[in-house]
């Protein structure tokens, strides 16, 4: 081996720097003790508002404790305060009218406006999580949750096993979940497709009720609560393709069994000639729903920013098919700040039994619902998140503002009379503002 | 309702898992490949010009989380055996010098540091995880390979280094 | 209904095979993971945001599912 | 060379200057200050308390002017072995490395020579015999050091002054860094450490005062954002001998102040301890100081 010129004797500085480092490292306790465990605290607050409809305030708190053996425990609390009006399912008509919701509340509406009924609710949800790595390549995740609101309670959990393969270039996740929900509507469980008569009572905090409203509970056949069971399964594969690009494919299946009807939603009874509403009946949905989706996800790092794109295809045995495209681009700015614009496009077909109303005199279908969320719905979301950090204060802050526009095909071919002149699914404008704070210590 | 859904799922899983589930074969004891890399002061570090009874090579990078835990341990190991024949060379695999220097200002490195941005040496050493350290005897044969940083394995490495130093 | 979902699953399998097995097994070396190690390189980079979004869209649309299995747990849909 | 006046134990004072805080106090016979680039008063108050506490602790532990600390115990051990704590052991390890790396020029046992030299600007120099007798009590090679036990032959003494102040700067800096993200600069009597560029990205700017003390404005300004800065020189303590000005830094092998050494040397390095040792070693090279520093790959300024 040809000996090249003897390398320059390492300058004295190299030895001094090493020795100085040793001196400062060995005597400073902080530098030596590696952080044994870290705790991450997350808090966020959501303000959600629909134009003259529901308003939601949702604070969330979450604490995650990561131990040095890779195990982590997390606890999260979500609180929702919901007020405002929700569409009852009744159809707009040419003239001012009053509608009575299934919970017996009567409200007046201007002509052509979607009838809604006022409601308010308070929901709390607690979630506990546990992540346990088993050896180098396998990890398990267990999550249990309990949530409660005035007329709904849910308890459930999910378990997932993830496996890292090929030097962690590929990972496979298999998981399952089960929820057991109780529904106890304010005036009892209404009998499906049964006429709703103006009621006198109505739940105490249901907002102002007009005179002469008859409680709808009389038509409920006396059952006060119903059960809903939801087993679910998910399988996913994620793959690192290049230094900048990773992709994943997830498939999930959720089977809902039990009382799936919305207790407060009604279906209008339409006069066959004039098309005006002459009454309303409670809605009725099937007792099972087999829901599946396929989600393809891609994350690509451009060096100055990261591009997130995902496509979800959803289908279920109620006839709803939907496409969802979600695009985000996180642009890293100066020191630890970023801006992330967001676009989401959504389109779904209506459920087979969705209808804008039932024509008086015709035989009632077995299932019927006018809940626009089961209708031919389109929606576009435009928004952006700004992430930053307040100097001298630990932790990162994110502020997100988004606008969601929902609309639908409100001109069905079988519309009758005046309905032909109305848009039965007028656009809905939603604005959300969210503030997030994350701190690890 | 049977889960007809499950059958295709399991077959998909099989496609993914089977061919890759075989563990990589353990490397037989081989001679460590020679290298000559730039150090922090404009000089170079060459494996064959290290006068040492035992050499510990540690491949690290500033973005690698376990490396933050391994550096304090490497410092204390060097403090105890540096004067008894142990030389530690921490080979940095960052793509550029700046992140490595800012890491070193937070996690002091009293031992030698070398830079291999292209990862050529890591390739020759068949590095499979970040970090990975190799303990070499005075003939530069690899006595032990330690992928990742597992605090439970540090005692085994320390005894190996102590025995090599006392030889 | 049956043949339709059967076709879908075949499509899934064919799509998946190259994705997982085909590409060179070790195209990304362990030391090439500097970008991948960043917090932003995750399928769910801001978990709090996506949890809230899942809740919003679950209660305003007819679909559900996506990142985590299960979900729901509210009387909002 | 009298012991410093009664140690000023006055509480540190904190004041606002432009958009940053300046905390000042006296320690190690020098004016000490902490500059913290933040708007948070509590942050600055907490950081100043930590810096002041650490400076006082290190001075009490390692100053050879104080009785009862570990250096006093070592210097009065009359040849008996003394076991020292971990921090002292790491300081002695560092001094031993510097002694070896400098070929014996950097020697913490050269303190004994202070008995025969008075650097008060006067013109008295020790006689040959007195110097020879003192030199018998100087030399790290005479000491037995198996950490953590140090055995100093009777009559010898150690002085960690050459490292103590810079060590205090680095220690104080790491305590501040542990408590705040704000950029800061620690300055103990001319030995500095800066943690990083100021909030607006500006660098720290330090003036090197005129060693002749003619009161002229700083001779030149050094701009740097991160690292340790230390100066060696005869700025304040010197003797005038045969018309020549001899600084207080002595060559432990000859017992005489270094000849031909520049007026003052300032070095910027990774830590203050490293900068201090490099500037002292450079000074000990005398006229060859510039060549020595050229080979070390550090920024330096020589007057």
């Amino acid at each position: 081996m040809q000996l090249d010129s003897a390398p320059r004797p390492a300058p004295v500085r190299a030895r001094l720097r090493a020795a100085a480092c040793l001196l400062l490292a060995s005597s400073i306790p902080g530098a030596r003790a590696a952080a044994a465990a870290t705790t991450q605290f997350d808090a966020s607050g959501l303000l959600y508002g629909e134009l003259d409809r529901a308003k939601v305030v949702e604070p969330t708190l979450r604490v995650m404790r990561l131990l040095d053996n890779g195990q982590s425990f997390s606890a999260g609390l979500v609180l929702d305060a919901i007020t405002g009006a929700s569409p009852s399912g009744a159809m707009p008509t040419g003239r001012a009218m009053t509608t009575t919701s299934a919970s017996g509340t009567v409200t007046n509406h201007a002509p052509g406006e979607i009838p809604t009924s006022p409601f308010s609710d308070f929901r709390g949800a607690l979630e506990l999580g546990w992540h346990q790595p088993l050896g180098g390549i396998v990890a398990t995740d267990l999550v249990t949750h309990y949530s409660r609101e005035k007329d709904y309670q849910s308890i459930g959990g999910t378990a997932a096993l993830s496996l890292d393969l090929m030097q962690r270039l590929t990972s496979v996740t298999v998981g399952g979940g089960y929820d057991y929900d109780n529904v106890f509507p304010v005036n009892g469980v209404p009998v499906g497709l049964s006429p709703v008569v103006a009621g006198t009572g109505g739940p105490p905090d249901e907002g102002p009720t007009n005179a002469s409203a008859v409680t709808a509970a009389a038509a409920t056949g006396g059952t006060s609560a119903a059960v809903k069971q939801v087993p679910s399964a998910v399988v996913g594969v994620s793959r690192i393709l290049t230094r900048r690009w990773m992709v994943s494919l997830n498939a999930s299946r959720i089977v809902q069994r039990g009382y799936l009807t919305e207790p407060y939603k009604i279906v209008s009874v339409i006069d066959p000639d004039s098309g005006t509403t002459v009454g309303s009946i409670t809605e009725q949905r099937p007792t099972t729903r087999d829901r599946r989706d396929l989600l393809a996800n891609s994350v690509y790092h451009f060096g100055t920013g990261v591009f997130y794109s995902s496509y979800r295809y959803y289908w279920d045995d109620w006839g709803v098919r939907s496409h969802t495209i979600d695009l985000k681009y996180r642009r890293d700015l100066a020191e630890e700040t970023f801006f992330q614009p967001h676009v989401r496009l959504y389109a779904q077909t209506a459920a087979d039994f969705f209808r804008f109303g039932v024509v008086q005199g015709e035989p009632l279908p077995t299932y019927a619902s006018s809940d626009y969320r089961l209708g031919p719905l389109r929606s576009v979301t435009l928004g952006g998140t700004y992430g930053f950090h307040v100097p001298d204060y630990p932790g990162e802050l994110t502020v997100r503002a988004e606008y969601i526009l929902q609309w639908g095909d409100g001109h069905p071919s079988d519309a009758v009379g005046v309905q032909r002149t109305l848009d039965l699914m007028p656009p809905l404008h939603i604005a959300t503002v969210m503030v997030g704070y994350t701190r690890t210590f | 309702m049977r889960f007809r859904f499950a059958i295709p799922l399991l077959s998909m899983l099989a496609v993914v898992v089977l061919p890759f589930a075989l563990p990589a074969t353990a490397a037989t004891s081989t001679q460590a490949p020679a290298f000559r890399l730039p150090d922090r002061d404009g000089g170079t570090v060459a494996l064959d010009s290290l006068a040492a009874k035992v050499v510990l090579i540690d491949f690290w990078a500033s973005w690698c989380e376990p490396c933050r835990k391994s550096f304090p341990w490497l410092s204390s190991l060097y403090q105890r055996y540096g004067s008894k024949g142990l030389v530690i060379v921490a080979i940095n695999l960052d793509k550029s010098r700046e992140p490595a220097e800012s890491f070193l200002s937070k996690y002091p490195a009293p031992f030698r540091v070398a830079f291999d941005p292209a990862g050529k040496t890591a390739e020759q050493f068949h590095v499979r995880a970040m970090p990975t350290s190799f303990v070499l005897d005075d003939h530069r044969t690899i006595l032990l390979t330690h992928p990742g940083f597992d605090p439970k394995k540090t005692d085994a490495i320390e005894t190996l280094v102590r025995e090599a130093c006392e030889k | 209904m049956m043949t339709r979902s059967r076709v879908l699953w075949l499509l899934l399998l064919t799509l998946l095979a190259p994705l997982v097995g085909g590409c060179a097994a070790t195209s990304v070396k362990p030391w090439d993971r500097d970008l991948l190690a960043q917090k932003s390189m995750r399928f769910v980079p801001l978990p709090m945001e996506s949890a809230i979004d899942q809740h919003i869209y679950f209660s305003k649309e007819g679909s559900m599912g996506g990142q985590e299995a299960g979900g729901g747990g509210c009387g909002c849909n | 060379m009298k012991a410093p006046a009664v140690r000023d134990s006055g509480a540190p004072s904190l004041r606002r200057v432009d958009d940053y805080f300046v905390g000042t106090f006296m320690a190690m016979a020098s004016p000490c200050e902490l500059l913290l680039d933040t708007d948070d008063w509590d942050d600055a108050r907490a950081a100043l308390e930590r810096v002041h506490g650490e400076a006082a602790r290190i001075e009490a532990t390692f100053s050879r002017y104080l009785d009862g600390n570990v250096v006093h115990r070592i210097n009065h051990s009359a040849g008996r072995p003394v076991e020292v704590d971990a921090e002292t052991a790491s300081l002695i390890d560092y001094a031993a490395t510097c002694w070896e790396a400098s070929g014996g020029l950097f020697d913490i046992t050269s303190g004994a020579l202070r008995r025969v030299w008075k650097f008060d600007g006067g013109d008295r120099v020790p006689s040959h015999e007195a110097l020879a007798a003192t030199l018998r009590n100087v030399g790290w090679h005479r000491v037995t050091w198996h950490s953590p036990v140090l055995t100093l032959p009777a009559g010898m003494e150690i002085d960690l002054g050459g490292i103590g102040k810079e060590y205090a700067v680095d220690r104080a800096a790491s305590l501040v860094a542990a408590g705040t993200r704000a950029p800061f600069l620690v300055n103990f009597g001319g030995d500095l450490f800066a943690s990083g560029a100021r909030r607006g990205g500006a660098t720290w700017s330090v003036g090197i005062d005129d060693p002749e003390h003619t009161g002229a404005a700083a001779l030149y300004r050094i701009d740097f954002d991160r690292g340790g800065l230390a100066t060696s020189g005869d700025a304040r303590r010197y003797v005038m001998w045969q018309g020549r000005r001899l600084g207080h830094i002595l060559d432990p092998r000859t017992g005489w102040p270094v000849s031909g050494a520049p007026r003052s040397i300032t070095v910027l390095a990774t830590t203050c301890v490293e900068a201090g040792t490099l500037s002292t070693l450079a000074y000990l090279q005398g006229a060859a100081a510039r060549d020595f520093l050229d080979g070390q790959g550090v920024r330096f300024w020589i007057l």
Side-chain angles (χ1 to χ4, degrees):
Chain A
M1 186 179 78
Q2 186 263 339
L3 261 180
D4 52 18
S5 63
R8 245 181 337 91
V12 172
R13 184 206 177 180
R15 291 193 62 191
L16 288 187
R17 178 182 51 224
C21 231
L22 211 53
L23 166 65
L24 295 170
S26 57
S27 60
I28 303 170
R32 256 182 302 115
T38 51
T39 303
Q40 178 170 335
F41 168 77
D42 291 282
S44 69
L46 167 73
L47 294 178
Y48 167 99
E50 293 168 5
L51 196 57
D52 54 50
R53 278 208 193 154
K55 305 285 181 292
V56 176
V57 176
E58 181 177 302
T60 311
L61 293 175
R62 186 169 177 275
V63 179
M64 192 270 290
R65 181 95 170 92
L66 176 64
L67 304 181
D68 55 11
N69 57 17
Q71 260 192 46
S72 73
F73 298 89
S74 68
L77 181 67
V78 181
L79 303 171
D80 286 347
I82 310 163
T83 57
S86 155
S88 61
M91 283 306 107
T93 67
R95 52 183 175 68
M97 55 176 283
T98 66
T99 55
T100 312
S101 82
S103 64
T105 313
V106 174
T107 39
N108 301 319
H109 305 284
E113 184 200 283
I114 282 282
T116 57
S117 52
F119 74 103
S120 77
D121 198 350
F122 185 81
R123 172 176 166 268
L126 180 69
E127 185 181 277
L128 299 174
W130 176 42
H131 172 81
Q132 164 71 53
L134 309 165
I137 57 171
V138 182
T140 60
D141 276 275
L142 298 176
V143 177
T144 62
H145 72 262
Y146 170 77
S147 71
R148 176 67 209 267
E149 54 197 276
K150 189 172 52 186
D151 51 11
Y152 196 92
Q153 172 182 294
S154 166
I155 186 159
T158 60
L161 182 77
S162 62
L163 188 67
D164 282 331
L165 306 165
M166 288 161 47
Q167 291 103 35
R168 293 191 297 108
L169 291 180
T170 303
S171 83
V172 177
T173 307
V174 181
Y178 182 78
D179 280 4
Y180 184 86
D181 300 359
N182 294 90
V183 192
F184 24 93
V186 166
N187 296 309
V189 179
V191 172
L193 303 178
S194 64
V196 173
V197 178
T200 49
D205 60 356
E206 197 61 86
T209 51
N210 302 63
S212 74
V214 171
T215 169
T220 61
T223 49
S224 64
V227 168
K228 181 163 129 182
Q229 302 185 51
V230 185
S232 59
V234 64
V235 64
V237 181
S238 72
R239 174 88 162 92
I240 292 176
L241 294 177
T242 69
R243 175 177 167 232
R244 295 176 175 282
W245 188 25
M246 59 185 197
V247 292
S248 76
L249 193 63
N250 298 315
S252 72
R253 179 178 184 190
I254 297 130
V255 178
Q256 297 174 318
R257 280 196 214 90
Y259 182 72
L260 305 183
T261 302
E262 267 294 311
Y264 311 119
K265 299 285 185 211
I266 57 169
V267 176
S268 295
V269 179
I270 312 292
D271 173 277
D273 309 323
S274 67
T276 56
T277 307
V278 294
S280 50
I281 56 173
T282 53
E283 68 158 41
Q284 174 64 47
R285 304 183 189 194
T287 55
T288 66
R289 187 178 189 180
D290 186 350
R291 317 177 73 171
R292 293 179 235 216
D293 79 281
L294 255 177
L295 171 71
N297 223 322
S298 149
V299 180
Y300 189 88
H301 199 300
F302 279 100
T304 52
V306 180
F307 178 59
Y308 308 92
S309 54
S310 74
Y311 167 72
R312 177 184 69 179
Y313 177 68
Y314 163 89
W315 71 101
D316 66 23
D317 60 359
W318 281 8
V320 177
R321 300 276 179 282
S322 77
H323 301 274
T324 313
I325 294 178
D326 194 300
L327 305 172
K328 299 186 181 88
Y329 178 69
R330 173 184 171 130
R331 180 76 168 81
D332 291 323
L333 306 170
E335 220 221 284
E336 285 173 30
T337 56
F338 69 88
F339 176 62
Q340 179 178 286
H342 170 221
V343 173
R344 177 180 188 271
L345 308 173
Y346 177 80
Q348 80 178 31
T349 60
D352 304 332
F353 54 85
F354 173 80
R355 52 200 311 121
F356 285 101
V358 286
V359 176
Q360 195 176 34
E362 283 180 6
L364 283 179
T366 38
Y367 303 116
S369 167
S370 301
D371 184 343
Y372 79 97
R373 292 174 301 189
L374 291 176
L377 184 64
R378 306 275 180 281
S379 97
V380 170
T381 307
L382 295 173
T385 306
Y386 177 64
F388 61 102
H389 134 78
V390 175
D392 308 331
Y393 290 96
E396 283 87 32
L397 279 157
T398 52
V399 174
R400 188 184 76 166
E402 294 214 332
Y403 163 70
I404 307 174
L405 171 64
Q406 282 192 327
W407 76 96
D409 171 6
H411 300 287
S413 52
D414 58 1
V416 172
V418 70
Q419 283 196 333
R420 306 182 73 82
T421 62
L422 297 171
D423 179 356
L424 303 181
M425 270 183 88
L428 170 67
H429 305 276
I430 301 173
T432 72
V433 172
M434 188 204 116
V435 178
Y437 173 67
T438 303
R439 178 170 182 205
T440 47
F441 41 91
Chain B
M1 183 173 69
R2 257 185 332 94
F3 260 55
R4 278 196 309 286
F5 177 76
I7 303 158
L9 259 185
L10 289 178
S11 57
M12 181 172 79
L13 207 58
V15 162
V16 166
V17 171
L18 278 184
F20 306 105
L22 311 171
T25 53
T28 56
S29 84
T30 52
Q31 192 71 9
F35 58 79
R36 172 185 291 278
L37 293 167
D39 67 6
R40 284 179 83 173
D41 312 307
T44 61
V45 182
L47 180 58
D48 29 30
S49 69
L50 293 176
K53 287 191 186 142
V54 58
V55 178
L56 188 146
I57 310 275
D58 179 70
F59 289 93
W60 65 284
S62 60
W63 44 265
C64 134
E65 195 51 40
C67 300
R68 295 195 172 88
K69 300 194 177 72
S70 67
F71 259 58
W73 172 68
L74 286 172
S75 295
S76 70
L77 188 72
Y78 179 71
Q79 193 181 358
R80 291 195 297 277
Y81 299 98
S83 52
K84 301 191 178 77
L86 165 68
V87 166
I88 297 183
V89 181
I91 299 181
N92 173 266
L93 297 170
D94 274 282
K95 303 295 177 195
S96 67
R97 187 67 72 90
E98 179 34 39
E101 285 298 343
S102 74
F103 177 97
L104 291 170
S105 64
K106 286 201 236 23
Y107 300 87
F111 37 80
R112 299 297 298 275
V113 174
F115 297 92
D116 179 10
K120 269 198 330 316
T121 322
E123 193 96 47
Q124 290 160 354
F125 272 78
H126 305 302
V127 167
R128 278 203 168 53
M130 288 297 284
T132 297
S133 45
F134 299 84
V135 179
L136 319 178
D137 65 13
D138 45 9
H139 304 299
R140 304 302 173 261
T141 356
I142 300 178
L143 301 177
L144 174 136
T145 306
H146 174 212
F149 177 67
D150 178 358
K152 290 195 283 298
K153 291 216 183 71
T154 50
D155 303 339
I157 296 175
E158 180 154 352
T159 27
L160 192 63
V161 166
R162 186 182 321 112
E163 281 149 16
C165 285
E166 277 144 15
K167 246 214 302 293
Chain C
M1 242 324 257
M2 254 307 294
T3 53
R4 196 169 144 72
S5 76
R6 182 58 51 111
V7 163
L8 260 176
W9 285 114
L10 284 178
L11 171 71
L12 172 71
L13 288 183
T14 45
L15 179 79
L16 199 63
L19 180 76
V20 171
C23 313
T26 53
S27 57
V28 181
K29 299 284 186 298
W31 54 89
D32 285 341
R33 301 180 81 132
D34 50 345
L35 299 177
L36 293 161
Q38 289 175 13
K39 270 195 312 211
S40 53
M41 283 299 278
R42 294 228 172 47
F43 291 113
V44 182
L46 299 168
M48 300 296 273
E49 263 187 25
S50 56
I52 282 178
D53 278 351
Q54 265 209 322
H55 186 196
I56 291 176
Y57 294 119
F58 168 76
S59 59
K60 296 310 288 182
E61 291 165 353
S63 315
M64 75 182 288
Q67 301 299 33
E68 293 90 23
C74 79
C76 44
N77 185 359
Chain D
M1 191 64 192
K2 55 179 175 36
V6 169
R7 239 164 18 85
D8 164 11
S9 64
S13 78
L14 186 62
R15 55 188 162 75
R16 184 79 174 158
V17 171
D18 309 336
D19 61 352
Y20 59 90
F21 283 97
V22 178
T24 51
F25 57 88
M26 281 300 290
M28 293 175 265
S30 338
C32 302
E33 60 179 6
L34 164 70
L35 281 66
L36 195 67
D37 195 357
T38 176
D39 306 326
D40 182 335
W41 171 269
D42 305 329
D43 216 5
R45 164 61 52 193
L48 182 58
E49 294 302 335
R50 281 197 293 269
V51 168
H52 180 236
E54 186 63 5
R57 179 188 77 81
I58 289 178
E59 177 169 23
T61 313
F62 298 109
S63 162
R64 60 182 178 74
Y65 302 116
L66 301 178
D67 299 348
N69 62 25
V70 63
V71 172
H72 186 267
R73 221 163 15 95
I74 292 172
N75 290 346
H76 294 80
S77 60
R80 285 187 310 281
V82 173
E83 181 162 357
V84 296
D85 60 282
E87 185 176 29
T88 309
S90 56
L91 271 168
I92 295 175
D93 277 343
Y94 178 72
T97 311
C98 295
W99 180 77
E100 199 192 311
S102 65
L105 266 179
F106 186 98
D107 193 322
I108 57 173
T109 65
S110 59
L113 291 166
R114 228 182 308 290
R115 298 180 193 139
V116 290
W117 283 95
K118 291 291 172 284
F119 296 97
D120 52 7
D123 61 0
R124 277 182 300 108
V125 291
S127 68
H128 180 70
E129 297 70 21
L131 204 54
T134 315
L135 277 175
R136 273 195 295 280
N137 290 325
V138 166
W140 180 254
H141 53 283
R142 305 178 197 275
V143 175
T144 321
W145 167 240
H146 296 299
S147 175
V149 175
L150 178 71
T151 316
L152 211 59
M156 289 187 72
E157 61 177 53
I158 64 166
D159 171 11
L160 293 174
I163 316 170
K165 199 151 59 139
E166 292 95 336
Y167 173 65
V169 166
D170 285 328
R171 282 279 312 175
S174 68
L175 291 178
V176 174
T180 174
R181 275 180 193 248
F184 62 87
L185 181 135
V186 174
N187 174 10
F188 290 174
D191 293 338
L192 319 157
F193 179 84
S195 71
R198 295 198 48 194
R199 272 178 298 179
T203 58
W204 298 93
S205 167
V206 171
I208 297 300
D209 58 14
D210 169 8
E212 294 305 324
H213 270 282
T214 52
L219 266 179
Y220 47 81
R221 307 202 66 75
I222 296 179
D223 294 318
F224 68 109
D225 53 7
R226 178 169 41 176
L229 194 80
T231 304
S232 295
D234 59 6
R236 293 186 198 80
R237 291 174 287 177
Y238 59 91
V239 291
M240 292 305 291
W241 183 67
Q242 295 173 354
R244 272 196 302 134
R245 176 192 175 98
L246 301 176
H248 70 286
I249 299 185
L250 305 170
D251 178 339
R253 295 168 301 188
T254 64
W256 267 75
V258 176
S259 62
R263 191 63 39 67
S264 92
I265 302 176
T266 302
V267 172
L268 174 66
T270 322
T271 60
C272 194
V273 165
E274 185 191 337
T277 310
L278 274 175
S279 63
T280 306
L281 281 187
Y283 192 93
L284 288 165
Q285 312 292 332
R290 184 173 297 281
D291 303 343
F292 170 80
L293 283 175
D294 278 341
Q296 306 308 331
V298 283
R299 283 173 67 188
F300 61 89
W301 297 263
I302 291 187
L303 263 192

